[in-house]
Amino acid sequence: MEVKIGVQHAPREIVLESGQSAEEVERVVAEALAGKSQLLSLVDEHGRKVLVPADRLAYVEIGELSPRKVGFGAL
């Protein structure tokens, strides 16, 4: 699952591949925005933790992982 996180006052977004389901990611984001936790905490597919202060979140885009195309042909 690909997750893109926009952070206020940061020129680039954070992009990570997470093994968590879309529902899990949405629940964690909702809890952070509701003030239940001060940090948005997600784990990528390599086991690394990404922490973002909840008050600095600009947006979170949750998308499906798309397979990467390899080769020169256009299909």
Side-chain angles (χ1 to χ4, degrees):
M1 163 94 26
E2 182 179 69
V3 180
K4 293 181 183 179
I5 304 169
V7 181
Q8 294 177 13
H9 310 296
R12 294 178 50 188
E13 63 190 6
I14 300 169
V15 180
L16 65 119
E17 299 291 334
S18 177
Q20 296 170 291
S21 69
E23 293 80 21
E24 285 180 278
V25 173
E26 186 175 354
R27 181 184 51 78
V28 172
V29 170
E31 288 176 359
L33 292 175
K36 292 183 180 177
S37 66
Q38 294 184 359
L39 291 174
L40 170 62
S41 174
L42 296 173
V43 179
D44 73 0
E45 61 184 15
H46 299 290
R48 295 178 291 207
K49 213 175 234 192
V50 177
L51 302 171
V52 180
D55 62 342
R56 298 289 183 206
L57 287 174
Y59 64 89
V60 177
E61 183 180 313
I62 304 169
E64 291 297 321
L65 181 62
S66 59
R68 299 205 169 112
K69 297 180 181 176
V70 178
F72 296 103
L75 299 177

